[in-house]
């Protein structure tokens, strides 16, 4: 049977393991794909630990990890149209991405152009789409200054490039070890940690016009004080806190229009998802640990072995 990387109870890394699962059967409006690559995101280990945002569906155990997948269509559910067997596609899986086969909702799936690699495609449905959607949500005018916290991660990488492409000045906060990487995105680097506000003010003497928070907690509360207009505060890390501060969480990104726009930016070379670590599927644990440790830069992607 096909292999998948799952957790069968909530907890730490010890609850993760490989298992054999029956090949999923696509229902109406669904696509069965043979996974070629799967993105690794912080939300993967957060869900495994039992965290569930308000309104999120209950996780049924055992659960396959992974919210991003790219692969080839091998079957269509009843009445599903718009795709054909053999199509190269990417999207947010219904049955987890860390698996040899998974299901995608056809309505939120887009085709992968030949110019986009499998590993880059797998970095787009959550990370890049969130970064793109957040910048568009803020709606800052050309010439405005945007602060991005957590700028060295997968979402920050996309957001910074999209913002720079729109003519914004971007100040990116990240760990000191990520300075060179963050600056390569075309942003003004500031080190994260105590005293962040003072460093941001030094980098942007005229202040910031918007904030994209990808850290949450005390960092979010600190940088919120820099904004006169809290409607220009969005967070992809702390929904409850940002709402209490007068801002908003990043809106839904499971939108084929957003994902399609991101894919086109990658296809044309306007956006590089910066996949810095490609890990074989059999080393899924190491990939999750790298992201869970918070020290990875760019994007980590699992690469699936060829199917028999």
């Amino acid at each position: 049977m096909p292999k998948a990387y799952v957790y069968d109870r909530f907890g730490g890394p010890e609850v993760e393991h490989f298992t054999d699962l029956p090949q999923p059967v696509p229902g109406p409006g669904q696509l069965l794909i043979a996974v070629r690559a799967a993105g690794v995101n912080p939300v993967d280990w957060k869900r495994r630990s039992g965290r569930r945002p308000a309104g999120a569906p209950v996780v049924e155990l055992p659960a396959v990890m992974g919210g991003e997948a790219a692969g080839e269509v091998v079957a269509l559910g009843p009445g599903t149209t718009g795709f054909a067997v053999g199509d190269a596609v990417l999207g947010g899986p219904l049955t987890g991405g860390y698996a040899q086969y998974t299901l995608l909702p056809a309505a939120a799936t887009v085709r992968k152009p030949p110019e986009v690699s499998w590993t880059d495609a797998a970095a787009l449905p959550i990370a890049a789409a969130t970064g793109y959607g957040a910048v568009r949500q803020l709606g800052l005018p050309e010439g405005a200054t945007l602060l991005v916290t957590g700028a060295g991660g997968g979402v920050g990488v996309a957001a910074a490039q999209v913002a720079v492409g729109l003519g914004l000045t971007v100040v990116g906060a990240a760990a000191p070890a990520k300075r060179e990487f963050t600056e390569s995105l075309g942003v003004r680097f500031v080190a994260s940690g105590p005293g962040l506000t003072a460093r941001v003010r030094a980098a942007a003497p005229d202040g910031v016009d918007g904030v994209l928070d990808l850290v949450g907690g005390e960092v979010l509360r600190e940088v919120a004080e820099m904004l006169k207009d809290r409607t220009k505060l969005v967070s992809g890390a702390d929904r409850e806190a940002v709402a209490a501060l007068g801002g908003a969480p990043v809106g839904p990104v499971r939108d084929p229009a957003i994902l399609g726009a991101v894919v086109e930016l990658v296809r044309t070379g306007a956006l590089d998802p910066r996949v810095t670590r490609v890990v074989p599927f059999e080393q899924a644990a190491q990939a999750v640990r790298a992201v869970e440790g918070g020290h990875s830069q760019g994007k980590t992607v699992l690469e699936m072995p060829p199917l028999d």
Side-chain angles (χ1 to χ4, degrees), residues 135-136 140-143 161-168:
V135 172
R136 291 291 184 175
L140 296 174
E142 184 176 355
Q161 292 178 79
V162 170
V164 169
L166 292 173
L168 304 182

Side-chain angles (χ1 to χ4, degrees), residues 97-201:
Y98 298 9
Q100 291 181 291
Y101 292 92
T102 193
L103 299 177
L104 298 182
T109 297
V110 301
R111 287 180 174 80
K112 183 190 78 67
E115 299 92 336
V116 179
S117 70
W118 288 113
T119 50
D120 278 358
L124 305 181
I126 289 180
T130 299
Y132 175 91
V135 172
R136 291 291 184 175
Q137 181 178 340
L138 282 164
L140 296 174
E142 184 176 355
T145 298
L146 170 66
L147 169 63
V148 180
T149 64
V155 177
V157 160
Q161 292 178 79
V162 170
V164 169
L166 292 173
L168 304 182
T169 296
V170 181
V171 178
K178 298 182 181 181
R179 178 171 193 144
E180 182 177 355
F181 176 78
T182 304
E183 288 180 337
S184 74
L185 305 172
V187 311
R188 299 178 185 176
F189 171 83
V190 295
S192 55
L196 174 61
T197 298
R199 291 189 292 277
V200 172
R201 287 183 174 140

